[in-house]
Every structure is written in C-alpha cells, then in structure tokens.
Amino acid sequence: MRKSAHSRTAEITAAIRAGHYLYDDPLVFSDPYALALTSGLWRTIFGSRWLHHFVIRRLLSSLRPVHGWILCRDLVTDLVVEAYIRSGGGQFVVLGAGFDTSVLRRPQWLSSLNIVEVDHPATQAVKIERMARLGAPLPANNFSRIAIDFETESLADCLARPEFQGHRSTLFAWQGVIYYLSTEAIKDTLTAISSSTPPGSELLFDFLMPDNSLSPENGRAKFLAGMITARLGERYISFHTEQSITALLNECGFDVITITLDEELQQTHLGERTDGLTAMRGFGIAHARVRG
C-alpha cells in the first residue's frame, strides 16, 4: 500500500460484506453499514440487482470463494468477541481495522469493553470521512483510534499510548493483515502484544497457506486474489502452515487455543448453502492466548 493512500483491500472487504448483506440469502454475516463505507463505484454496482449479478456473479465469479473466506473470518471474529465478553474480558483491539464496523453493528459491546482501532492513518482518515457522510453516531466513550504503519512503526510504542489500557485483559483481532507483512514485522507485533498485556489476553488472526499445499483447482481463487491485491500495491508475502503458525506463536509468548482451517470453516459456516457460496481454500484462522 502506498503510504499516502488508504487500503484498497480494506475497501474490497467492505464491498464483499455489502454485497452479501444486500443480495445473499441466508446471511452468514450481517453488516448494514458496509455499503456506505465503499467507494462510489461499488455503490453504483450494488445499487442495481442486474449490475450486481453481471459484475459479481458473472465477470468476477471466479472470486466468489474469496467472499466466503471474508465472511467466515468476520463471523468467527464476532463469535470470539461474544465469548470473550461472556468470560469477563475488558478490552477489544482491532489491529488493521480497515473499514470494520463493529462499533456501529454492536454498540452494546461498548458497555463492557474499551475498544481501540489501530490502522494506517490514510485508511483511518477515509473511514472517518465516510462514516461522517453516513451520519452514523460515533461513540464518545470507550472507543478510540491509534494510527500506525505496521511495517515502519512499533506496535509496542503504539500500545504505550493512553488509549490502550495495558492493565486490562485484551482480545486482539488481527484479521486480513499478516500475509502482507514480513516475518520480522509479524514477530515484532506478536511480541509487542504478549509483552504489553496480562497473561490470558487473546489474539485472533487469519493466515494464508503456501501455494504448494493446494491443488491448482483448489488454489485458483487464492491465486486470483493474490494477483488483484498485488496490482493494488498490497502483495501477499507471508505464508504459513498450521505447524509453522503454532511454532511462531509459541516462540512469541502464546499458547494456541485453536487453529481452524478452510475445510472445517466451510463445513461449519457454509456447508448447508445452495447458492454456490463457498470458502476459498488455502487459509486458516488462529486463536491464541498470552502465556501465563
């Protein structure tokens, strides 16, 4: 991503959520605010059922499994946050927040959590502008934003700011980020989290698996997604297996809670669908806990 530009992949993710909300049935994940956070082009496409069908279901049909990946990822995040609140957790940090709408979709979370969004300043600026256009009420309490470039700035310094309450048990959601980062940047972020939060704090993130773990047929959607993100200046550079993710987390001070791979996510969240919405092959979601 160019340093002065907002994340185009964050905008595409919002567009996937918007199209799903408007035209898919049943819903995997509901986001009524996503459309307003997309660009004028996406709003034009989604404003017409015919145009949506022509562009999304025909021209871009090979990317349909990417939608399933994004929607499963967002649903799992919501489910983990809900379980975390029930367990008495006190803080939710969204790393690489993009156009996430948690504070709009789930205002009840603010009653029990301190919520902090962390992202590139250019992406944050566009999001703030579009939320203002939407007229959505911005929460005044228990919510804040911190600007950071993960490749050039330290998350440890970021977490030393007063918006982050380091004494509180924290759930970090780091979805849609690590495959754009170097191994060193990933390790630095993991270590900053484990050293800045109490034992028992949690981390949730998705990862991409190596190309050689997939057949050409199963890897097609992932390959096409990688081509598009590279053209947008956000190239996939980090790939992991279940074993390498486990080793990386252990090295950086975490114990694994669960690692869920593509086929299980497909079966759990999309298995009964009849509309052709499937999950892309070649990804997983890791849930870990800061070691005591």
Side-chain angles (χ1 to χ4, degrees), residues 88-149:
Q91 186 166 229
F92 178 41
V93 176
V94 189
L95 299 176
F99 294 160
D100 180 82
T101 60
S102 295
V103 295
L104 300 177
R105 293 183 296 104
R106 300 296 186 95
Q108 69 274 20
W109 287 358
L110 290 170
S111 64
S112 59
L113 296 174
N114 180 53
I115 300 180
V116 182
E117 290 188 352
V118 181
D119 207 345
H120 193 282
T123 300
Q124 287 185 338
V126 172
K127 181 178 180 179
I128 291 169
E129 176 187 352
R130 292 180 182 177
M131 287 179 72
R133 180 185 64 202
L134 174 64
L138 298 178
N141 300 315
N142 303 334
F143 172 73
S144 56
R145 294 185 176 95
I146 298 176
I148 184 174
D149 181 338

Side-chain angles (χ1 to χ4, degrees), residues 159-175:
L159 296 181
R161 300 181 193 176
E163 294 91 341
F164 176 74
Q165 299 174 7
H167 64 283
R168 304 184 74 172
S169 173
T170 303
L171 168 63
F172 291 83
W174 197 24
Q175 302 283 35

Side-chain angles (χ1 to χ4, degrees), residues 6-16 37-39 42 99 130:
H6 72 278
S7 171
R8 302 299 181 184
T9 58
E11 188 163 297
I12 290 173
T13 299
I16 288 171
L37 296 182
T38 61
S39 67
W42 287 113
F99 294 160
R130 292 180 182 177

